[in-house]
């Protein structure tokens, strides 16, 4: 066992449920709970986490009634077909030695029903900024019926074979709506003062306890701080926590904030561990009962520090289990972990619109049932190319004309960690990956896992591509971890990485030595023709990110995510007076493609730092002291600037594509080199993964059985 994780890896307990360690996988609604596959994909998702050492896991919310469903397609426990799928999931997880809690959920006024779905209901008819609907106020009899719905859901959970239930009472859903004076305007037995507003949550816990019996573990997820002006005060939270325990909760899982709170809680700008004190306040209120800290804790070392520095008992981690299903086993073994970078791009942002969830740094999320089969994810099919040449068919007489090298063959991950055998693998192929940005590294990783001999060529002195720029942005330091993880894995898998080695048109002979080439050469910044654009203080964004010599007055030309990141970086407080940063954009909406959960938080931060944004910009001209322009109102303006950064888009760095076509080698073009329109890291990494799968399929077509499995 790795030293330094003794507290985290110590067994724990919730009620009568023994836990193998102190990490609980937090609830995540994945978007495929209701897939008509007999629960196969959902079971595979959890089984991959069990194999990676997860202890107790909590499912995404399962609605206790149709009106409680969050979005169309949400699983409803009254639906027998949904329950059948859950039975399979609970059964398979249990058989594998895993522990799964079913989360009982009611969205209340946050529900976004289909046009022909039930109307949202809530304690009072207070409009929801999330659904933009006004719910129906529940009659008293309706409130009592929902309490019964929770009890029925809990009964189902036990009968279906789950190990525990978690009641979703946080993040501003129905139970929170009863607790808060902002959303509960009633004056009856369910509202009017704090005691009566608490009554619904307490009644739910009591009814759930009665439904499942004394020995079945019941976790209550509650809000420790709603982060809303005029919301529930701390004294009420403490009293409420005690009342929940008295009603029969075995543990309290402390959430933070509502979906409508104006304070970021899960974004990259939130420092890891920031919300632990909120959970500590609840712990102080309830004494010995297990309390879980949650939100934005992304390393086991952090969890260890939390357990060491507080009286908290358990730590919930949700997204980190998307990023790395083997988070616990890898940490236990002291191996590199694929860290969740809190980008939200493939998980929360998709979940918010009811789409299927995945993970930017782990494109295998959602494909656990069939990791090697994958068609490219929607919109990510890399450019097709030549088929594998027949001459490289390993089942035929002609072996690939490659020098014999030792290769590494990896067995699927087990609790004991991967088995790595060094030796020749029949039919392994030689593949060159050109470009060691996230897309290229991911492709190399997946190819090497399948037993191929992979060589990566990177023109820069270091691997990482655009992530090397991103990790300098405040809150994005963990992007360096993605690169560190992938490069460490490549080393372990025997991949050869050449840095400072561009591959160009003159390298035809080099390329001919490979059975396949993945072109992942990325992008080059677009430099629009601009009067004064050649002046020495005008830089492209790549240089500006890595150049520590930005002036005190910085003008950023461009309105996308990179321009925002640059402004964020340039406005970071440091030595000397604050920089004066101005963003100049042609359109009227800054960073329109930035993820919904992140954009508002980052723009609020820029506002706090007094970054100026000028929209509708035309007629740009740069001189040594200023940028001159006409703004959206038609007014001529001069923005003083001693550094001008151009972040006005990117072009594919695709010169190599012509060469590989000429050579006739099997190839795929991925990431920015393929297309810069709509490019983001989710797409780039997914394309790297899809290219590795495409090579597998092509190789399989020539007779060799290959697989790309869950990363070991
Ligand atoms: C895709 C996704 C879906 C989620 N769905 C739920 C849910 O159904 N119920 C719930 O209580 N929390 C849900 N959450 C919130 C997580 O449980 C957790 O509070 C949040 O991700 C912050 O914790 P983390 O930093 O450990 O990820 C979801 C989070 C994600 C990323
Ligand atoms: S998509 Fe981003 S935030 Fe979500 S789990 Fe993956 S790395 Fe974390």
């Amino acid at each position: 066992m790795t030293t330094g994780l003794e507290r985290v890896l110590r067994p724990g307990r919730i009620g009568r449920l023994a836990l193998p360690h102190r990490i609980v996988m937090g609830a995540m609604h994945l978007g495929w709970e209701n897939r008509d596959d007999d629960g196969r994909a959902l079971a595979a998702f959890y089984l991959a986490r069990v194999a990676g050492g997860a202890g107790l896991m909590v499912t995404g919310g399962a609605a206790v009634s149709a009106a409680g469903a969050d979005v169309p397609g949400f699983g409803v426990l009254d639906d027998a077909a949904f329950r059948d799928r859950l039975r399979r999931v609970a059964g398979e997880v249990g058989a594998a030695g895993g522990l799964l809690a079913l989360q009982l959920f009611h969205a209340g006024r946050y529900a976004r029903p289909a046009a022909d779905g039930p109307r949202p209901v809530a304690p009072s008819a207070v409009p929801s900024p999330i659904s933009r609907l006004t719910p129906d106020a529940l009659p008293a009899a309706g409130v009592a019926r929902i309490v019964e719905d929770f009890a029925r859901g809990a009964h189902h959970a036990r009968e279906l074979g789950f190990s525990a239930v978690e009641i979703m009472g946080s993040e501003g859903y129905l139970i929170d709506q009863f607790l808060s004076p902002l959303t509960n305007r009633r004056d009856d037995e369910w509202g009017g003062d704090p005691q009566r507003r608490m009554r619904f949550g307490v009644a739910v816990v009591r009814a759930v306890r009665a439904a499942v019996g004394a020995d079945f573990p019941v976790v209550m997820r509650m809000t420790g701080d709603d982060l809303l002006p005029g919301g529930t005060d701390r004294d009420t939270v403490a009293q409420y926590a005690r009342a929940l325990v008295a009603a029969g909760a075995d543990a309290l899982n402390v959430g933070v904030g509502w979906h409508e709170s104006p304070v970021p809680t899960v974004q990259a700008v939130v420092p890891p561990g920031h919300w632990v004190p909120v959970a500590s306040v609840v712990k102080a209120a309830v004494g010995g009962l297990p309390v879980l800290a949650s939100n934005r804790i992304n390393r086991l070392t952090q969890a260890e520090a939390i357990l060491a520095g507080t009286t908290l008992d358990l730590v919930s981690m949700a997204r980190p289990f998307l990023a790395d299903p083997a988070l616990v086993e890898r940490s236990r073994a002291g191996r590199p972990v694929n860290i969740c970078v809190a980008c939200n791009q493939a998980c929360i942002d998709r979940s918010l619109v009811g789409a299927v969830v995945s993970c930017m740094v782990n494109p295998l999320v959602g494909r656990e049932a069939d990791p090697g089969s994958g068609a490219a994810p929607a919109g990510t099919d890399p450019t097709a190319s030549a088929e594998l040449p027949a001459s490289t068919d390993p089942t035929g007489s002609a072996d690939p004309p490659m020098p014999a090298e030792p290769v590494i063959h990896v067995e699927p991950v087990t609790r004991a960690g991967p088995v790595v055998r060094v030796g020749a693998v029949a039919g392994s192929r030689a593949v060159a990956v050109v470009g060691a940005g996230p897309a290229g590294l991911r492709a190399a990783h997946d190819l090497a896992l399948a037993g191929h001999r992979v060589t990566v060529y990177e023109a820069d002195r270091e691997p990482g591509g655009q992530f090397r720029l991103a990790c300098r942005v405040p809150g994005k330091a963990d992007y360096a971890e993605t690169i560190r993880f992938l490069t460490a894995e490549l080393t372990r898998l025997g991949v050869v990485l050449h840095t400072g080695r561009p591959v160009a048109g003159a390298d035809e002979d080099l390329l001919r030595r490979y059975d396949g080439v993945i072109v992942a050469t990325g992008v080059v910044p677009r430099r629009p023709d601009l009067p004064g654009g050649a002046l020495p203080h005008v830089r492209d964004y790549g240089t500006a990110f890595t150049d520590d010599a930005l002036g005190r007055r910085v003008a950023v030309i461009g309105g996308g995510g990179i321009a925002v990141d640059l402004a964020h970086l340039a406005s970071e407080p440091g030595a000397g007076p604050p920089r004066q940063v101005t963003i100049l954009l042609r359109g009227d909406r800054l960073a329109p493609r930035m993820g919904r959960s992140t954009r508002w938080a980052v723009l609020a931060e820029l506002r706090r730092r007094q970054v100026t944004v000028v929209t509708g910009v035309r007629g740009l001209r740069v001189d040594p002291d200023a940028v001159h322009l006409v703004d959206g109102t038609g007014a001529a303006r001069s923005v003083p600037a001693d550094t001008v950064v151009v972040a006005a888009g990117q072009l594919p760095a695709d010169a190599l594509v012509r060469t590989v076509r000429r050579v006739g080698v099997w190839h795929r073009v991925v990431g920015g080199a393929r297309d810069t329109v709509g490019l983001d890291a989710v797409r780039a990494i997914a394309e790297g993964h899809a290219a590795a799968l495409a090579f597998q399929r092509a190789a399989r077509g020539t007779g060799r059985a290959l697989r790309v499995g869950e990363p070991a």
Side-chain angles (χ1 to χ4, degrees):
M1 185 201 289
T2 316
T3 52
L5 294 178
E6 289 79 6
R7 288 179 181 79
V8 166
L9 298 178
R10 214 164 41 195
R13 179 166 288 282
I14 291 179
R16 302 217 179 144
L17 186 67
L19 307 177
H21 50 68
R22 301 304 181 98
I23 302 295
V24 172
M25 185 178 104
M28 284 179 288
H29 188 259
L30 301 166
W32 66 86
E33 283 80 358
N34 243 341
R35 191 175 295 167
D36 189 15
D37 66 349
D38 198 22
R40 183 168 164 266
L42 195 58
F45 173 83
Y46 293 116
L47 288 171
R49 273 81 199 157
V50 174
L56 179 62
M57 306 175 289
V58 186
T59 66
V64 295
S65 64
D70 191 17
V71 284
F74 209 81
V76 179
L77 286 165
D78 290 335
D79 171 4
F82 179 54
R83 289 203 305 276
D84 285 346
R85 283 192 281 279
L86 291 181
R87 191 186 303 281
R88 171 180 178 162
V89 173
E92 290 194 14
V93 169
L99 301 173
L100 191 57
L102 181 68
Q103 190 180 65
L104 305 175
F105 179 94
H106 195 302
R109 85 197 235 276
Y110 278 172
R112 291 160 288 171
D116 58 350
R119 293 259 319 139
V121 293
S124 306
V126 178
S128 158
I130 304 299
S131 64
R132 301 191 195 286
L133 297 172
T134 301
D136 293 341
L138 282 159
V143 179
R145 263 198 303 278
I146 297 179
V147 173
E148 286 164 19
D149 293 340
F150 271 98
R152 199 171 56 255
H155 173 79
H156 285 315
R158 183 169 191 154
E159 187 270 326
L160 292 170
F162 285 91
S163 299
V165 284
E166 179 173 271
I167 301 166
M168 179 36 157
S170 73
E171 257 73 14
Y173 292 109
L174 181 70
I175 294 177
D176 258 346
Q177 291 159 26
F178 270 94
L179 182 65
S180 170
L182 296 171
T183 44
N184 184 343
R185 311 249 172 94
R186 304 174 75 97
D187 191 12
D188 64 358
E189 61 182 307
W190 301 109
D193 56 37
Q195 298 308 318
R196 284 179 285 169
R197 287 197 299 270
M198 284 181 212
R199 199 170 270 163
F200 180 72
V202 172
V204 167
V205 173
R206 197 173 291 126
V208 164
R209 169 57 69 207
V212 295
D215 59 341
F216 195 74
V218 175
V219 180
M220 176 70 175
R221 188 160 202 207
M222 63 173 287
T223 296
D225 185 342
D226 60 25
L227 304 173
L228 286 167
T232 306
D233 60 55
R234 279 202 165 186
D235 279 351
T236 305
V237 169
Q239 276 184 51
Y240 181 54
R242 284 191 287 269
L244 295 171
V245 176
D250 289 315
L252 298 178
N253 182 0
V254 183
V256 183
W258 284 23
H259 285 306
E260 64 203 84
S261 308
V263 180
T265 56
V266 295
Q267 291 81 348
V269 290
V270 178
H274 186 72
W275 300 113
V276 172
V278 174
S280 286
V281 169
V282 173
K283 177 69 183 172
V286 298
L289 190 100
V291 173
L292 289 79
S294 86
N295 280 26
R296 198 67 183 102
I297 300 161
N298 65 351
R299 288 168 167 82
L300 258 63
T301 46
Q302 235 162 39
E304 177 75 14
I306 291 165
L307 296 179
T310 68
T311 55
L312 293 161
D313 307 274
L314 297 157
V315 174
S316 166
M317 297 169 80
R319 294 169 295 174
F321 280 95
L322 296 180
D324 197 335
L327 166 71
V328 173
E329 277 312 307
R330 284 190 213 267
S331 302
R332 190 194 295 271
R335 293 176 51 208
V337 167
N338 201 7
I339 294 283
C340 163
V341 300
C343 68
N344 293 344
Q345 283 172 248
C347 58
I348 292 180
D349 289 339
R350 290 188 184 174
S351 182
L352 286 176
V353 294
V356 168
V357 163
S358 189
C359 172
M360 179 175 84
V361 301
N362 179 15
L364 280 165
V365 171
R367 296 172 159 198
E368 291 83 357
D370 233 345
S373 74
T380 64
D381 190 19
T383 306
S385 71
E387 292 305 309
L388 271 182
S391 64
T392 62
D393 181 351
T395 61
S397 54
D399 268 334
M402 300 296 133
E405 289 175 61
V407 290
I408 292 182
H409 181 60
V410 181
E411 297 288 315
V413 67
T414 65
R415 271 196 182 277
V419 179
V420 179
R421 283 197 227 116
V422 179
V425 172
S428 84
R429 303 302 190 87
V431 189
V433 176
V434 186
L441 291 176
R442 183 74 212 192
H445 172 263
D446 293 350
L447 287 162
L449 266 181
H452 296 296
R453 292 161 289 161
V454 184
T455 308
V456 181
Y457 296 92
E458 168 56 47
D460 273 348
R461 284 193 314 271
E462 288 173 56
Q466 299 277 100
F467 271 26
R468 273 182 43 231
L469 310 183
C471 69
R472 298 177 70 98
V473 176
K476 291 192 172 180
D478 276 343
Y479 282 60
E481 292 299 323
T482 307
I483 300 308
R484 208 167 292 145
F485 167 77
L486 285 170
T487 48
E489 284 289 281
L490 296 194
T491 304
R492 188 178 67 85
L493 294 167
V495 171
V496 178
L497 170 61
H498 296 286
T499 51
R501 171 63 166 97
V503 177
D507 286 310
E508 286 192 10
D509 286 346
L510 175 82
L511 294 170
R512 274 195 195 95
R513 289 167 44 197
Y514 293 98
D515 298 305
V517 176
I518 311 289
V519 180
T521 38
V523 297
V524 287
R526 197 174 73 85
R527 281 294 287 260
D529 208 9
L530 192 67
L535 287 166
H537 68 305
V538 181
R539 324 240 168 103
D540 62 51
Y541 67 81
T543 321
F545 267 118
T546 49
D547 183 351
D548 291 326
L550 291 178
R552 304 306 321 165
R553 297 168 310 169
V554 179
V556 180
I557 298 174
I562 293 178
V564 166
D565 274 354
L566 257 166
H568 200 177
L569 174 67
S571 60
E572 181 77 337
R579 283 203 182 93
Q580 202 181 311
V581 180
T582 309
I583 302 178
L584 308 171
L585 69 145
R586 232 180 6 200
D588 57 3
R589 188 169 152 81
L590 189 54
R593 291 189 54 250
M594 195 178 263
R596 181 171 162 187
S597 64
T598 299
R599 182 175 178 273
W600 68 270
V602 174
L603 297 194
E605 181 62 18
L606 294 190
R607 264 194 303 280
R608 208 177 58 74
R609 296 176 179 196
Q610 300 185 339
V611 170
T612 306
V613 179
V614 183
T615 56
V617 166
R618 289 172 289 125
L620 279 166
R621 178 172 60 80
V622 182
D623 74 19
D625 302 314
V627 182
H628 306 281
L629 57 101
V630 177
D631 70 17
T633 67
R637 287 171 71 159
S638 293
V639 174
D642 36 37
T643 306
V644 177
V645 185
V646 181
Q650 307 160 320
L651 298 170
D654 58 1
L656 191 63
V657 177
R658 279 188 299 279
T659 309
V660 287
R661 282 198 184 127
R662 213 166 36 241
V663 168
V665 63
W666 184 101
H667 65 276
R668 285 289 186 275
V669 187
V670 300
R674 181 171 86 83
D675 188 0
T676 54
V677 178
L679 177 67
D680 64 15
V682 176
R683 198 196 92 194
I685 294 174
E687 286 183 3
H689 172 66
L693 290 177
F695 186 78
Q696 289 290 84
R697 281 195 299 275
R700 197 183 289 136
T702 62
R704 159 137 160 69
L706 298 163
R707 62 192 148 74
V708 174
E710 182 60 35

